[in-house]
Amino acid sequence: MSNSIVKFQKGSLGARFLNVLKSSNQWLHKTPERALEQAYKAALAIKTIEDQHFGGQKVSEDAPQYTPSVLECFIKDVEKHLNTIKFKLNEFKLTRNLDHSGDIEFIEKLKFIDEIVDKYQSHSVSPDQSLSSNTYQFESVKRSNNGKPTNPSGLSPLDFVEVEASGEVLNGKKSGALPRSIGRTFKKIQTELDDSSEERLMNSYRASRKKTKSAVNFVLMLVLIPLLSQQLSKNFIFFPLVEHYRQTHEVPLFLNPEMKEEALHELKSYEEELQLTSLLYKTPTIEREEIEKKMEEKAEEIYQQFNHKSSEAISNLFADFVGLVAFALVIILNPQGLTALKSLLNTVMYDLSDSAKAFIIILITDIFVGFHSPHGWEVLLEGLSSHLGIAANRSFIFLFIATFPVILDTIMKYWIFRYLSRISPSAVATLRNMNE
C-alpha cells in the first residue's frame, strides 16, 4: 500500500510539472503575437494623439495652438510609445520563428505601425553615431526628453544637408557616377533658396541657446545646492545637536590618537615658548606657580579648541551625507539638465581642435595618474581624514595610491582606444606625438 501512495504522489508531482511546462510553452509561443499587439497599441496611441490634438498630422514643435509645456508633454508621450514600438518589434522579430500557426493577419498591423513610425524616423548622422544607425527623431534634428533639439555637433538644419551627404559610403550604398560634392552643392543651394530656411535656422539657434542656458543652470545647481545643503545642515542642525550631546554626556575629547598627540605637542610648545621668552628678553624668572597657572589656561584653551574640532568633524560626517543626497536628487530630478549638459560637453569636445583635445587629455592624466600625482592623492586623502575626524591610515593611503590611479589610467587608455580613435583619429595621433 505504501508503494501505491508513493507512486500516486510521484504521478501528481509529474502532472503538475507537465502542466507548468505546457503553460510555459504556450506562453512562449504566444510571445510574437503578444509583442506585436503591444507595438500595435502603442502605434494606436500615437495615432490618437495626432487625430485629437494635431489634426491627424505629425506631432511637432511647430504646432502654434499649444504652449511649449503642453508640446513637451505630447512629445514625451510619443517618444515613449516609439521606444515601446521599437522594443516590441525587435521582440517580435526575434521570436517570430516560434509561431508555427501560419497566421499572416499581422501584416496589416505591421503596415499600420510602419506608417506611424515613418513619420518620426530619420537617418541623420551625428558624430557620435555610426553611419548606418537609424534613430527616431522629431523634425530634422535629434531631440531630447524635453522635446528640444540636441545636436552634439552644434550644426544648424542647413548644415544637415552637408552632413547627410558626406562620406563615400552611406547606409551601405556606394556613391554613384557623379561625385557627391555636386549633389551636396545643389542640395545646399536648394535649401538656402527655401523661404523657410531662415526661420528654421533661427529656431535652431534659439533652441541651442536655450539648451546652453539650461546646461549652465544645471551646473550651477549641481554645485550650489549640495554645497548650501551641506553648510546649512551642518551649521544649523547637526553642529548644535552634536555640541549639546557632547556637553550633556561624557564623551572622549579626542576622536583619534593623532588629535591627542597634536594637543600634547601644542601644550609642550607653549611651555617651551614661555621659557624661551624668559631667556631671550632677560625677564625675571617666572615662578613655578605662575607657569602652572598659565599652563592651565592654555590647557583650557586647547580643550575648547579640540572639543569644537571634534564636534565639527562629527557634524561634517552627517552634513556631507546630506550634500551627497542633494547632489543625487539634483541629477535624478533634472534629467533634462543632465541631457543638456552632455550635449554641451559633446559640442565643446567636437569644436576643440586636435591639439587642444590632446593638451586637455595630457593635462588631466598628468594631474591624476601622472608621475607627481601620488603626492596630490596623499594630500587629498589626509585632508579628507582630517575633515571627518578619522586617523589617517598610512597603509591604506599607500595602497590607494598604488591601485586607484592605475585603474584611472587604464580607463583613460581604453576610452582613447575605444572611442576617441573612432571619433577623432587625428586627435589620437596628435596625442601620441605630444607624449613622445
Side-chain angles (χ1 to χ4, degrees), residues 58-167:
K58 169 185 173 182
V59 177
S60 172
E61 271 189 340
D62 298 333
Q65 68 270 28
Y66 297 111
T67 61
S69 299
V70 176
L71 286 173
E72 179 181 345
C73 294
F74 284 132
I75 291 175
K76 282 186 176 179
D77 290 339
V78 173
E79 285 181 344
K80 180 181 68 175
H81 294 313
L82 286 174
N83 290 331
T84 301
I85 291 173
K86 184 178 180 181
F87 177 77
K88 293 302 177 181
L89 284 182
N90 289 333
E91 184 179 353
F92 171 77
K93 293 175 183 178
L94 290 175
T95 59
R96 174 61 184 150
N97 294 330
L98 298 176
D99 188 4
H100 303 290
S101 62
D103 186 11
I104 58 174
E105 293 181 357
F106 64 86
I107 294 178
E108 295 299 326
K109 292 184 179 180
L110 284 177
K111 287 182 179 180
F112 178 76
I113 293 173
D114 289 340
E115 290 176 0
I116 297 297
V117 169
D118 286 342
K119 297 180 183 180
Y120 305 94
Q121 191 173 19
S122 176
H123 302 282
S124 298
V125 181
S126 59
D128 58 342
Q129 293 174 329
S130 62
L131 291 177
S132 60
S133 63
N134 298 331
T135 57
Y136 297 128
Q137 300 177 341
F138 288 95
E139 302 304 325
S140 60
V141 290
K142 188 178 178 182
R143 299 188 181 275
S144 63
N145 292 334
N146 57 358
K148 302 178 180 59
T150 59
N151 180 14
S153 62
L155 297 175
S156 66
L158 296 178
D159 297 326
F160 269 87
V161 175
E162 187 171 351
V163 174
E164 290 175 359
S166 61

Side-chain angles (χ1 to χ4, degrees), residues 77 183 325 346 361:
D77 290 339
V325 172
N346 287 334
I361 293 174

Side-chain angles (χ1 to χ4, degrees), residues 56-297:
Q57 301 298 320
K58 169 185 173 182
V59 177
S60 172
E61 271 189 340
D62 298 333
Q65 68 270 28
Y66 297 111
T67 61
S69 299
V70 176
L71 286 173
E72 179 181 345
C73 294
F74 284 132
I75 291 175
K76 282 186 176 179
D77 290 339
V78 173
E79 285 181 344
K80 180 181 68 175
H81 294 313
L82 286 174
N83 290 331
T84 301
I85 291 173
K86 184 178 180 181
F87 177 77
K88 293 302 177 181
L89 284 182
N90 289 333
E91 184 179 353
F92 171 77
K93 293 175 183 178
L94 290 175
T95 59
R96 174 61 184 150
N97 294 330
L98 298 176
D99 188 4
H100 303 290
S101 62
D103 186 11
I104 58 174
E105 293 181 357
F106 64 86
I107 294 178
E108 295 299 326
K109 292 184 179 180
L110 284 177
K111 287 182 179 180
F112 178 76
I113 293 173
D114 289 340
E115 290 176 0
I116 297 297
V117 169
D118 286 342
K119 297 180 183 180
Y120 305 94
Q121 191 173 19
S122 176
H123 302 282
S124 298
V125 181
S126 59
D128 58 342
Q129 293 174 329
S130 62
L131 291 177
S132 60
S133 63
N134 298 331
T135 57
Y136 297 128
Q137 300 177 341
F138 288 95
E139 302 304 325
S140 60
V141 290
K142 188 178 178 182
R143 299 188 181 275
S144 63
N145 292 334
N146 57 358
K148 302 178 180 59
T150 59
N151 180 14
S153 62
L155 297 175
S156 66
L158 296 178
D159 297 326
F160 269 87
V161 175
E162 187 171 351
V163 174
E164 290 175 359
S166 61
E168 292 300 325
V169 179
L170 185 60
N171 292 332
K173 298 179 181 180
K174 295 184 178 180
S175 59
L178 294 177
R180 288 188 176 272
S181 59
I182 297 177
R184 291 200 304 268
T185 303
F186 281 110
K187 286 183 178 180
K188 188 174 182 180
I189 294 174
Q190 182 182 0
T191 305
E192 291 175 350
L193 292 177
D194 189 3
D195 295 336
S196 62
S197 60
E198 183 177 356
E199 182 180 356
R200 288 190 287 111
L201 180 61
M202 291 303 298
N203 291 335
S204 176
Y205 171 74
R206 292 191 188 97
S208 178
R209 183 178 61 180
K210 187 175 181 180
K211 187 190 304 179
T212 301
K213 290 182 179 180
S214 177
V216 174
N217 292 335
F218 180 74
V219 172
L220 293 177
M221 291 173 59
L222 208 59
V223 174
L224 294 179
I225 291 180
L227 184 61
L228 290 175
S229 301
Q230 195 268 351
Q231 290 295 323
L232 293 176
S233 62
K234 172 187 172 183
N235 295 324
F236 295 100
I237 299 176
F238 296 117
F239 187 78
L241 290 176
V242 173
E243 277 281 302
H244 177 73
Y245 182 83
R246 290 179 64 85
Q247 290 175 2
T248 56
H249 295 75
E250 293 183 1
V251 292
L253 174 63
F254 306 106
L255 297 180
N256 55 69
E258 288 186 357
M259 294 179 66
K260 185 176 181 180
E261 292 178 2
E262 184 181 353
L264 291 173
H265 177 73
E266 188 173 347
L267 188 62
K268 186 177 180 180
S269 297
Y270 179 74
E271 183 180 4
E272 293 175 351
E273 183 180 355
L274 290 176
Q275 296 176 358
L276 181 62
T277 302
S278 176
L279 293 174
L280 287 179
Y281 298 101
K282 298 180 181 180
T283 57
T285 304
I286 303 176
E287 299 295 335
R288 186 65 186 173
E289 292 80 6
E290 187 176 355
I291 293 178
E292 290 180 356
K293 183 179 180 180
K294 290 186 176 183
M295 292 293 292
E296 289 178 359
E297 293 176 355

